[in-house]
Amino acid sequence: MTPSNNIIKKKHLRVLSGIQPSGHLHLGNYFGMMSRMIHYQQENDLFCFIVNYHALTTTQEKELLKKNTFYSAVDFLALGIDPEKSTFWIQGDLPQVAELTWLLSSVTSLGLMERSTSYKDKVAKGIIPNMGLFSYPVLMAADILLFGSDIVPVGKDQKQHLEITRDIALKFNHTYGNVFVIPKPDIEEDSMLVPGIDGQKMSKSYGNTIPIFIDEKELEKCIMSIVTDSAPVNEPKDKNTPLFNIYSLFLNKNEQQELIERYDSPGLRYGDVKKELIERIKAHFDPYREKRNYLLDHPDDVHQILETGAKKATEIADRYLFHVREAMGLNYVNV
Ligand code: ADP
Ligand code: TRP
């Protein structure tokens, strides 16, 4: 018997993903995950949340965390997450996920955790590791498994975390019976690793982002500082570069082909491409600013949406957790 039949009655595929409130949301977040989530809500059961428990592993600044959590929720709503069509909440409003993290920890091998490259990368970047940072993937597995998720849209950097989630779920099912749905990652080839203005992966923690709702002057400054080489104007240009890759995200197939031809021919000036990119970014995101400003001016509306989302999520989480506890022998009354 599949767990989905037993525990959750689903009409549609469940699509779930989360985002850390660790700074302004950026083009990497948008093309890597947010735009697909917004698209998926039309035909699927969409679960979307702001992972403030995860953010605690790298920040202890409480006012900043509160502000970033609120702004991340506002940005997501402004860009089109529809609370009527989806379940949208703040991770920390559901303590059930912390309980499931503990339960999953006891079937998670230490070796699996020790192979986590994201942990090693963060430590190499100078973050002082705490237990939360080490067990970050178990919390993420709990996020996903608690809702019987089928599909998890993420950027490429999260691939290993999804593999860990699947390993934990398989180990649990093998040990305690078929409780968890085994989720599949959804990683899109074209946008799986959006580069930052310095050419590394765009990330809030690397200070190399192009924020989605940056103001006009800042946007110009940001785009003008995308690193380029010093190839002379009359030579073809390298396409494996951040400016080319970022610009391509805003173009359809024909426009991408035209850009390739311009890069392959003499005469292209990076300054011109940067100006075009600024216009494209403005044209793409300006239509969402009005809704964003409205939400910023009406924080009570935002809180109401999040409260309703947390209630919807709680019903499902409680039901699932009951079955997990039952499977593990924690519901000891009927011995
Ligand atoms: P950040 O690295 O900026 O803190 P998060 O870890 O909060 O971003 O990522 C949220 C989502 O956005 C994840 O699904 C992640 O894979 C995706 N994402 C983040 N940065 C990028 C990027 N540069 N390219 C593609 N996807 C990204
Ligand atoms: N680890 C993810 C990131 O840094 C965020 C995240 C937490 C997540 N829980 C999740 C993503 C569950 C997908 C599903 O981007």
Side-chain angles (χ1 to χ4, degrees), residues 19-30 34 64-65 67-76 79 202-215 218 222 289 292 296:
I19 198 158
Q20 291 203 56
S22 45
H24 294 290
L25 302 187
H26 54 73
L27 297 189
N29 298 138
Y30 182 74
M34 297 169 78
L64 191 65
L65 180 63
K67 208 168 119 203
N68 283 340
T69 304
F70 177 73
Y71 275 91
S72 302
V74 165
D75 286 0
F76 235 127
L79 288 165
M202 187 178 289
S203 172
K204 296 174 220 111
S205 29
Y206 304 161
N208 63 356
T209 67
I210 304 171
I212 298 170
F213 290 114
I214 191 170
D215 74 39
E218 289 294 310
C222 202
R289 285 185 185 269
R292 183 171 185 265
L296 290 175

Side-chain angles (χ1 to χ4, degrees), residues 16-20 33 49 51 54 91 122 136 139-140 143-144 152-154 157-158 161-162:
L16 170 143
S17 197
I19 198 158
Q20 291 203 56
M33 168 278 204
F49 51 110
V51 300
H54 277 100
Q91 182 191 37
K122 285 176 182 163
Y136 181 111
L139 176 58
M140 181 158 160
D143 281 336
I144 297 170
V152 185
V154 282
D157 58 320
Q158 297 299 312
H161 284 153
L162 260 296

Side-chain angles (χ1 to χ4, degrees), residues 180-316:
F180 289 123
V181 175
I182 310 300
K184 290 195 184 70
D186 174 73
I187 298 172
E188 186 155 273
E189 195 64 31
D190 287 349
S191 57
M192 57 190 195
L193 215 61
V194 178
I197 57 173
D198 59 356
Q200 286 191 81
K201 180 209 145 181
M202 187 178 289
S203 172
K204 296 174 220 111
S205 29
Y206 304 161
N208 63 356
T209 67
I210 304 171
I212 298 170
F213 290 114
I214 191 170
D215 74 39
E216 197 171 332
K217 281 272 155 282
E218 289 294 310
L219 175 66
E220 283 167 16
K221 224 165 85 190
C222 202
I223 300 303
M224 287 305 170
S225 60
I226 295 176
V227 288
T228 47
D229 56 33
S230 49
V233 180
N234 57 359
E235 275 182 20
K237 306 289 185 303
D238 185 0
K239 294 187 289 296
N240 190 15
T241 48
L243 180 58
F244 179 88
N245 288 329
I246 295 170
Y247 193 10
S248 299
L249 294 168
F250 291 90
L251 305 178
N252 63 33
K253 288 277 169 252
N254 288 342
E255 292 168 332
Q256 280 176 7
Q257 193 50 44
E258 279 170 29
L259 187 67
I260 291 174
E261 282 159 22
R262 286 171 65 198
Y263 263 69
D264 287 344
S265 320
L268 178 122
R269 288 174 196 277
Y270 290 130
D272 294 339
V273 180
K274 287 181 173 178
K275 283 186 196 137
E276 290 166 34
L277 175 57
I278 292 169
E279 290 314 312
R280 286 280 177 160
I281 295 178
K282 287 200 299 202
H284 194 95
F285 293 113
D286 279 358
Y288 303 109
R289 285 185 185 269
E290 195 184 332
K291 170 115 184 256
R292 183 171 185 265
N293 290 335
Y294 175 88
L295 293 168
L296 290 175
D297 288 343
H298 296 82
D300 287 350
D301 289 10
V302 178
H303 292 136
Q304 182 61 50
I305 291 171
L306 294 170
E307 208 177 295
T308 308
K311 270 195 200 128
K312 270 161 69 180
T314 297
E315 275 177 34
I316 298 172

Side-chain angles (χ1 to χ4, degrees), residues 6-63:
N6 188 21
I7 299 170
I8 37 179
K9 294 174 185 54
K10 304 199 263 196
K11 284 201 215 107
H12 303 287
L13 282 182
R14 286 206 171 162
V15 179
L16 170 143
S17 197
I19 198 158
Q20 291 203 56
S22 45
H24 294 290
L25 302 187
H26 54 73
L27 297 189
N29 298 138
Y30 182 74
F31 288 104
M33 168 278 204
M34 297 169 78
S35 61
R36 269 177 303 143
M37 288 290 279
I38 291 161
H39 171 75
Y40 281 136
Q41 73 190 338
Q42 305 307 336
E43 311 249 314
N44 301 278
D45 275 347
L46 191 94
F47 292 78
C48 184
F49 51 110
I50 311 295
V51 300
N52 54 349
Y53 277 162
H54 277 100
L56 288 175
T57 63
T58 46
T59 182
Q60 270 94 41
E61 291 179 59
K62 71 173 195 176
E63 290 308 324

